[in-house]
Amino acid sequence: MPDINRLPPGVVNQIAAGEVIERPASVVKELVENSVDAGARRIDVSLARGGSDLIRVVDDGCGIPSDQLPLALASHATSKLREADDLFRVETMGFRGEALASIASISRLVLRSRGGTEESGTEIESAGGRTTDAKPCGCPRGTTLEVRDLFFNTPVRRKFLRSTQTEAGHATEAFVRLALAHPHVHFTLRHNDRQIHELPPTDDFADRIGRIFGPDLVAALIPVESTDERVSLSGYVANPSNNRGNTRMQYLFLNGRFIRDRSLGHALAEAYRGLLPVGRYAVSFLMLRMPAQLVDVNVHPTKLEVRFQDGGRLYSQLLGTLRNKFLTTDLTARLVPTGDDEVASAHDPGRAQQLRQQLVGWAKGQVETWSDQPAASRSLPSSPPPGQLELNPLPRASMTMSPPGVSGDHGPRTYEPTRSFAMSSGDVTASSADVPAAGLQIHNRYLVAESADGVVVIDQHALHERILYEQLRVKVLAGDLESQGLLVPEPVDLSPAEAAAVVGQRELLAHLGIQIEPFGGDTVLVLSHPAMLANMNSVDVLRELADRLCCEGKPPQRRDLLDELLHMMSCKAAVKAGDRLTTAEINALLEQRHLVQDAHHCPHGRPTALVFTRQELDRQFKRT
Ligand code: ADP
Ligand code: MG
């Protein structure tokens, strides 16, 4: 056994940094928290290259007395705790005294500060934890911290940094969480000399929310408030019509600290139960205040999770407050049509999993070889399946025609040439050959056809979705999906993380016919739109995609993403239950019915086709 050695302090700090400092966003969080603790009224944050080159935080807080400057960078040195018992009544954001030491050990750092009564400022520098002597400098009252070249001396960790956009997105999110938690503080954020946020101080939480997320969201906010003797809850939840595909817009603050809490997240979901489509999540900005003794904030390295003394009571308080609020608020006016099961089930979380499984075989063999080839040299990975057809989406507005003899329709007959289901003739597969020419549509949602051994009833939406999916896939792989340039590019305001995600996946989106460009702040410009989604609003499409692209934790594989997006687009473009079809359309769809019979369940997990055998019919009619 080798001897046991004490680790040198530099190594200890680097190890500590590993827990607290994951990426530039973590530095932003720690520095801004220090400024808040210092009582700053104004905090200016600037980043260069997503924060990996530079993070600067300037505040007008109480400052650090010149003789204590070196201590601020020492590990386990804090002005916020004196004794162990203080840990159970933490009122400040920081208390462990290790953030600055950790950051200093993995960056080049400059700290300048001037206390309230001091004539001039003092400056101290550190590179990889090696600190210079403090020297006087000119600086305004308050503290400035500059952190350059994060992870410069830990190359392995530097390699883990993602693109500038992604890191900027995370850093912006860290900033936004703090800015939401402290509306009375003036906050600004710049990235590469571009202004991202300018947030003047305000007493009005909704005003701060609006400046960050825009007026549309503010218009959907519903105020909530409840106080029991120890806990106060206040803030806003959004009308259910303003929902998201993930929980990232669920902001919860405890005593000024952004937290995640599984149980309270559950209470929120429970309150919205029945008001949101499956797989959609509420938007909330909730502030909890309670005496510091009622909560342990020292259970998580970055304090993202906390332990409540009486979690059950808190759960009931949140759920009860929201339920009462919803009961007394007219939500219906702006409610999404949750009755539309196509829309609802398109967001079914189980769906992605099933899709992936269905597609794995195909994707393994084909997508990987495709992803990095230039478009011009790309060729179809395999010939399209037999019977592959040129099929156009059906514009829903024109679905007023009735196939003669199927059902009585007295509406206008508008012929729409683009919705032909013209098949490339001659290569009808064995499984579709036994479909008789005339199929039948019933209740504007099912197709009925005779098959060799009975009768088959098919869900028209599921079948069309499946056909479009196959087509889209081939087109996307071939790089020739039609897209339409927008006459006027559409700006779309997204959350910081969403903006980073869509910009990060720009190239993938371009393959899907959606060209975007960053437009400053969290706004992106949509320049083009997939032709097959012509009847959809491009802003909605992008929002939906942004939702899918953003998930916490591991970034989705390119292959899964592409697959998800293709499915989303085919679902949107397919005929819906309720759309009336012409005979030609019915038959064109039925000729491709082998596609649903291969996979008996639609991506939403419902059956796509039911077969009634002749024997069964004979038995029912007592012919046997
Ligand atoms: P902690 O915040 O847990 O105390 P830090 O390592 O983040 O530990 O900071 C160490 C100490 O440096 C703080 O306790 C505080 O006294 C001082 N400090 C850091 N940043 C600032 C600031 N912006 N203004 C005033 N004092 C600061
Ligand atoms: Mg701190």
Side-chain angles (χ1 to χ4, degrees), residues 30-31 33-38 59 61-64 68 71-74 77-81 93-102 111 113 142-145 303:
E30 294 296 337
L31 298 188
E33 285 187 352
N34 281 345
S35 299
V36 170
D37 282 346
D59 70 49
C62 64
I64 306 170
Q68 294 190 3
L71 258 186
L73 298 189
T78 177
S79 56
K80 301 169 194 173
L81 280 190
M93 310 278 284
F95 54 81
R96 293 192 191 124
E98 60 185 2
L100 287 188
S102 300
L111 164 58
S113 195
T143 303
T144 296
L145 264 142
K303 313 180 188 95

Side-chain angles (χ1 to χ4, degrees), residues 28-144:
V28 170
K29 171 177 180 288
E30 294 296 337
L31 298 188
V32 174
E33 285 187 352
N34 281 345
S35 299
V36 170
D37 282 346
R41 310 310 299 169
R42 176 174 179 133
I43 302 173
D44 298 295
V45 181
S46 353
L47 310 171
R49 279 231 312 154
S52 49
D53 283 3
L54 170 70
I55 299 156
R56 180 191 295 120
V57 176
V58 181
D59 70 49
D60 62 355
C62 64
I64 306 170
S66 54
D67 57 324
Q68 294 190 3
L69 224 52
L71 258 186
L73 298 189
S75 56
H76 305 297
T78 177
S79 56
K80 301 169 194 173
L81 280 190
R82 296 264 167 242
E83 46 186 304
D85 273 358
D86 290 348
L87 257 185
F88 302 100
R89 41 173 184 264
V90 174
E91 310 266 359
T92 49
M93 310 278 284
F95 54 81
R96 293 192 191 124
E98 60 185 2
L100 287 188
S102 300
I103 296 167
S105 75
I106 47 166
S107 69
R108 298 181 223 277
L109 176 147
V110 179
L111 164 58
R112 271 181 224 111
S113 195
R114 184 175 145 202
T117 56
E118 290 179 318
E119 289 289 299
S120 67
T122 313
E123 176 181 299
I124 187 172
E125 282 183 40
S126 151
R130 265 188 290 275
T131 311
T132 60
D133 288 340
K135 58 176 191 241
C137 72
C139 80
R141 180 180 178 267
T143 303
T144 296

Side-chain angles (χ1 to χ4, degrees), residues 266-504:
H266 189 268
L268 187 67
E270 203 48 35
Y272 275 83
R273 191 207 278 272
L275 298 173
L276 293 173
V278 178
R280 303 296 291 178
Y281 299 89
V283 173
S284 65
F285 302 89
L286 295 171
M287 302 241 185
L288 277 170
R289 299 224 157 254
M290 63 180 74
Q293 308 89 279
L294 297 187
V295 55
D296 185 357
V297 288
N298 194 25
V299 293
H300 187 272
T302 63
K303 313 180 188 95
L304 183 63
E305 287 162 25
V306 299
R307 192 178 296 134
F308 294 110
Q309 224 175 60
D310 196 349
R313 185 158 158 187
L314 212 53
Y315 180 97
S316 316
Q317 187 178 350
L318 176 58
L319 180 56
T321 307
L322 292 180
R323 279 210 172 132
N324 278 337
K325 190 75 200 184
F326 289 161
L327 281 175
T328 54
T329 307
D330 177 19
L331 300 172
T332 47
R334 288 176 290 176
L335 209 60
V336 278
T338 46
D340 181 350
D341 56 14
E342 301 306 344
V343 174
S345 52
H347 301 293
D348 183 11
R351 171 175 165 263
Q353 186 54 36
Q354 277 175 330
L355 293 183
R356 250 161 240 156
Q357 279 165 7
Q358 270 182 22
L359 205 77
V360 159
W362 164 77
K364 269 193 187 138
Q366 295 164 9
V367 173
E368 272 153 3
T369 57
W370 153 75
S371 52
D372 295 319
Q373 291 171 36
S377 68
R378 204 179 299 133
S379 63
L380 273 183
S382 66
S383 53
Q388 185 64 50
L389 66 177
E390 229 354 276
L391 189 112
N392 295 307
L394 304 181
R396 253 148 281 164
S398 63
M399 289 287 97
T400 49
M401 302 192 337
S402 139
V406 173
S407 56
D409 172 52
H410 310 292
R413 292 179 63 98
T414 52
Y415 183 62
E416 173 52 78
T418 60
R419 70 187 174 132
S420 72
F421 283 88
M423 306 274 278
S424 55
S425 57
D427 39 2
V428 174
T429 60
S431 61
S432 58
D434 56 352
V435 178
L440 182 70
Q441 184 188 31
I442 55 172
H443 299 300
N444 291 342
R445 55 172 69 203
Y446 300 114
L447 306 180
V448 182
E450 183 183 347
S451 70
D453 54 356
V455 172
V456 57
V457 182
I458 298 172
D459 177 327
Q460 69 184 35
H461 169 75
L463 173 55
H464 194 204
E465 177 182 346
R466 184 86 197 140
I467 295 171
L468 289 177
Y469 172 79
E470 294 293 336
Q471 280 193 329
L472 257 182
R473 174 167 72 80
V474 170
K475 286 194 166 181
V476 167
L477 292 177
D480 66 356
L481 188 73
E482 299 103 78
S483 94
Q484 294 168 346
L486 301 184
L487 277 181
V488 183
E490 285 255 28
V492 187
D493 293 328
L494 298 168
S495 76
E498 285 171 341
V502 294
V503 172

Side-chain angles (χ1 to χ4, degrees), residues 442 446-458 593 597 609-621:
I442 55 172
Y446 300 114
L447 306 180
V448 182
E450 183 183 347
S451 70
D453 54 356
V455 172
V456 57
V457 182
I458 298 172
R593 75 187 173 102
Q597 285 172 323
L610 299 174
V611 177
F612 301 90
T613 62
R614 218 194 81 192
Q615 288 89 325
E616 208 175 321
L617 293 172
D618 285 348
R619 213 182 39 204
Q620 293 285 339
F621 286 107

